[in-house]
Amino acid sequence: MNHIIAPPPTVEILNDLKRLYQSGQPVQFINAFHGVPITHVGKILILNQGYAVFQVPGDQAVCVALDKQTFLQQDLFPEIVSANTIGVDVAKGEVILVGFEYAGKNLGQRLNLRVKPKEPIWVEVQRDDLNFSAPLMDISVSGLGVYSFVTYIEEHLDFQTDALLQLKLELPSFHESIVLPGKISYIKREDGMLTYRLGIQVEPNEDNLPVLEKYIDLRRAEIMQELEQTYQRMCQL
């Protein structure tokens, strides 16, 4: 532990971490596993020269290891704090964090349940005379994310934020397609990739909302089971 060289956090964050360490107050950890928020409290075990060792539950340790970062929330912090992972002992539930920085006041989508599909799901995207299929990245009752190739988006300059769409998809275990009205909330090119990610707001009606809710509940249960299995595997490493 004494040989760790860590970049210094801001003085304010460091002072807050010292207060939490001295008082033994917990910190809320925020991660996600396949879109499911994983949030537990952790306690500082060691604080030394810009790095901190925390005790957290096993499933949180798994997420901190896989994400290589985490977000921390505490009443002492004026904003959410982000931190990078440099070491994890999943079996002991210990994580070593450095690079503490303010990440913003709003948790935003970090606490939104947006499950990632287990099997590939294709979404048929329709707008006026445009029609293409895109792989589903994640989905919630209020929105979904899809990928599209760069060439397609850049060839259709009217394909912009707030554009209205119609989406058609079939969810596993539900042998019937559902149609959702949607509106593009953001378009983001993936770093180093030939694809764009489209965030789309949706408004399910009384017929397809129960289907969405049931699929998300089933997928969430599968994801939590997968998290437990991942924990067991990582404990044996």
Side-chain angles (χ1 to χ4, degrees), residues 19 33 36 56 71 113 120 126 134 136 141 145 152 158 194 212 221 232:
R19 294 189 188 99
F33 188 75
V36 176
V56 296
F71 296 91
L113 176 60
Q126 301 173 345
L136 179 70
V141 295
Y152 187 89
D158 59 341
L194 296 178
L212 273 180
Q232 296 297 336

CSV table of all heavy atoms in Angstrom, one decimal, residues 19 33 36 56 71 113 120 126 134 136 141 145 152 158 194 212 221 232:
chain,number,residue,atom,x,y,z
A,19,ARG,N,-12.3,13.9,6.6
A,19,ARG,CA,-13.4,14.0,7.6
A,19,ARG,C,-14.2,12.7,7.7
A,19,ARG,O,-14.5,12.2,8.8
A,19,ARG,CB,-14.3,15.1,7.3
A,19,ARG,CG,-13.7,16.5,7.4
A,19,ARG,CD,-14.7,17.6,7.2
A,19,ARG,NE,-14.1,18.9,7.1
A,19,ARG,CZ,-13.9,19.6,6.0
A,19,ARG,NH1,-14.2,19.0,4.8
A,19,ARG,NH2,-13.3,20.7,6.0
A,33,PHE,N,-24.3,-2.7,-13.6
A,33,PHE,CA,-23.9,-4.0,-14.2
A,33,PHE,C,-25.0,-4.3,-15.3
A,33,PHE,O,-26.1,-4.5,-15.0
A,33,PHE,CB,-23.9,-5.0,-13.2
A,33,PHE,CG,-23.4,-6.4,-13.6
A,33,PHE,CD1,-22.0,-6.5,-13.8
A,33,PHE,CD2,-24.2,-7.4,-13.9
A,33,PHE,CE1,-21.5,-7.8,-14.2
A,33,PHE,CE2,-23.7,-8.7,-14.3
A,33,PHE,CZ,-22.3,-8.8,-14.5
A,36,VAL,N,-28.1,-2.3,-14.9
A,36,VAL,CA,-28.8,-2.3,-13.6
A,36,VAL,C,-28.0,-1.6,-12.6
A,36,VAL,O,-26.8,-1.9,-12.4
A,36,VAL,CB,-29.0,-3.8,-13.1
A,36,VAL,CG1,-29.7,-3.8,-11.7
A,36,VAL,CG2,-29.9,-4.5,-14.1
A,56,VAL,N,-16.4,-2.6,0.8
A,56,VAL,CA,-17.7,-2.5,0.1
A,56,VAL,C,-18.2,-4.0,0.0
A,56,VAL,O,-17.4,-4.9,0.1
A,56,VAL,CB,-17.6,-1.9,-1.3
A,56,VAL,CG1,-17.2,-0.4,-1.2
A,56,VAL,CG2,-16.7,-2.7,-2.2
A,71,PHE,N,-18.5,6.0,-8.8
A,71,PHE,CA,-19.0,7.3,-8.5
A,71,PHE,C,-19.4,7.3,-7.0
A,71,PHE,O,-20.0,6.3,-6.5
A,71,PHE,CB,-20.2,7.7,-9.3
A,71,PHE,CG,-19.8,7.9,-10.8
A,71,PHE,CD1,-19.9,6.8,-11.7
A,71,PHE,CD2,-19.3,9.1,-11.3
A,71,PHE,CE1,-19.6,6.9,-13.0
A,71,PHE,CE2,-19.0,9.2,-12.6
A,71,PHE,CZ,-19.1,8.1,-13.5
A,113,LEU,N,-32.7,2.5,-14.5
A,113,LEU,CA,-32.6,1.1,-14.9
A,113,LEU,C,-32.8,1.0,-16.4
A,113,LEU,O,-33.9,1.3,-16.9
A,113,LEU,CB,-33.7,0.3,-14.2
A,113,LEU,CG,-33.9,-1.1,-14.6
A,113,LEU,CD1,-32.6,-1.9,-14.3
A,113,LEU,CD2,-35.1,-1.8,-13.8
A,120,PRO,N,-29.1,-10.7,-29.2
A,120,PRO,CA,-29.2,-9.5,-30.1
A,120,PRO,C,-30.7,-9.2,-30.4
A,120,PRO,O,-31.5,-10.2,-30.7
A,120,PRO,CB,-28.5,-10.0,-31.3
A,120,PRO,CG,-27.5,-11.0,-30.8
A,120,PRO,CD,-28.2,-11.7,-29.7
A,126,GLN,N,-38.1,3.9,-38.2
A,126,GLN,CA,-38.8,4.5,-39.3
A,126,GLN,C,-39.0,6.0,-39.1
A,126,GLN,O,-39.3,6.4,-38.0
A,126,GLN,CB,-40.1,3.8,-39.5
A,126,GLN,CG,-40.0,2.3,-39.7
A,126,GLN,CD,-41.4,1.6,-39.8
A,126,GLN,OE1,-42.4,2.2,-39.3
A,126,GLN,NE2,-41.5,0.4,-40.2
A,134,ALA,N,-31.4,-1.4,-36.5
A,134,ALA,CA,-30.3,-1.1,-35.7
A,134,ALA,C,-30.3,-2.0,-34.5
A,134,ALA,O,-31.3,-2.3,-33.9
A,134,ALA,CB,-30.3,0.4,-35.3
A,136,LEU,N,-30.1,-3.1,-30.7
A,136,LEU,CA,-30.5,-2.5,-29.4
A,136,LEU,C,-29.3,-2.6,-28.5
A,136,LEU,O,-28.8,-3.6,-28.3
A,136,LEU,CB,-31.7,-3.2,-28.9
A,136,LEU,CG,-32.2,-2.7,-27.5
A,136,LEU,CD1,-32.9,-1.3,-27.6
A,136,LEU,CD2,-33.2,-3.7,-26.9
A,141,VAL,N,-38.3,1.8,-19.7
A,141,VAL,CA,-39.7,2.1,-20.0
A,141,VAL,C,-39.8,3.4,-20.6
A,141,VAL,O,-40.9,3.8,-21.1
A,141,VAL,CB,-40.6,2.0,-18.8
A,141,VAL,CG1,-40.7,0.5,-18.2
A,141,VAL,CG2,-40.2,2.9,-17.7
A,145,GLY,N,-31.5,2.8,-26.4
A,145,GLY,CA,-30.3,3.2,-27.2
A,145,GLY,C,-30.0,2.2,-28.3
A,145,GLY,O,-30.2,1.0,-28.1
A,152,TYR,N,-24.5,6.1,-42.6
A,152,TYR,CA,-26.0,6.4,-42.7
A,152,TYR,C,-26.4,7.7,-42.0
A,152,TYR,O,-27.1,8.5,-42.6
A,152,TYR,CB,-26.8,5.2,-42.0
A,152,TYR,CG,-28.3,5.4,-42.3
A,152,TYR,CD1,-28.8,4.8,-43.4
A,152,TYR,CD2,-29.1,6.1,-41.4
A,152,TYR,CE1,-30.2,5.0,-43.6
A,152,TYR,CE2,-30.4,6.3,-41.6
A,152,TYR,CZ,-31.0,5.7,-42.8
A,152,TYR,OH,-32.3,5.9,-43.0
A,158,ASP,N,-30.8,15.5,-41.9
A,158,ASP,CA,-32.0,15.9,-41.2
A,158,ASP,C,-32.3,14.9,-40.0
A,158,ASP,O,-33.2,15.1,-39.2
A,158,ASP,CB,-33.3,15.9,-42.1
A,158,ASP,CG,-33.5,14.5,-42.7
A,158,ASP,OD1,-32.5,13.7,-42.8
A,158,ASP,OD2,-34.6,14.3,-43.2
A,194,LEU,N,-16.9,3.1,-36.1
A,194,LEU,CA,-17.6,3.6,-37.3
A,194,LEU,C,-19.1,3.6,-37.0
A,194,LEU,O,-19.9,3.3,-38.0
A,194,LEU,CB,-17.3,2.7,-38.5
A,194,LEU,CG,-15.8,2.8,-38.9
A,194,LEU,CD1,-15.6,1.8,-40.1
A,194,LEU,CD2,-15.4,4.2,-39.3
A,212,LEU,N,-43.1,-4.1,-21.9
A,212,LEU,CA,-41.8,-3.6,-21.6
A,212,LEU,C,-41.4,-3.8,-20.2
A,212,LEU,O,-40.3,-4.2,-19.9
A,212,LEU,CB,-41.8,-2.1,-21.9
A,212,LEU,CG,-41.5,-1.6,-23.3
A,212,LEU,CD1,-41.6,-0.1,-23.3
A,212,LEU,CD2,-40.1,-2.1,-23.7
A,221,ALA,N,-33.6,-9.7,-13.4
A,221,ALA,CA,-33.4,-10.8,-12.5
A,221,ALA,C,-32.3,-11.7,-13.1
A,221,ALA,O,-31.4,-12.2,-12.4
A,221,ALA,CB,-34.7,-11.7,-12.4
A,232,GLN,N,-18.8,-15.0,-7.6
A,232,GLN,CA,-18.3,-16.3,-7.2
A,232,GLN,C,-17.0,-16.6,-8.0
A,232,GLN,O,-16.0,-17.1,-7.4
A,232,GLN,CB,-19.3,-17.4,-7.4
A,232,GLN,CG,-20.6,-17.2,-6.5
A,232,GLN,CD,-20.3,-17.3,-5.0
A,232,GLN,OE1,-19.3,-17.9,-4.6
A,232,GLN,NE2,-21.1,-16.7,-4.2
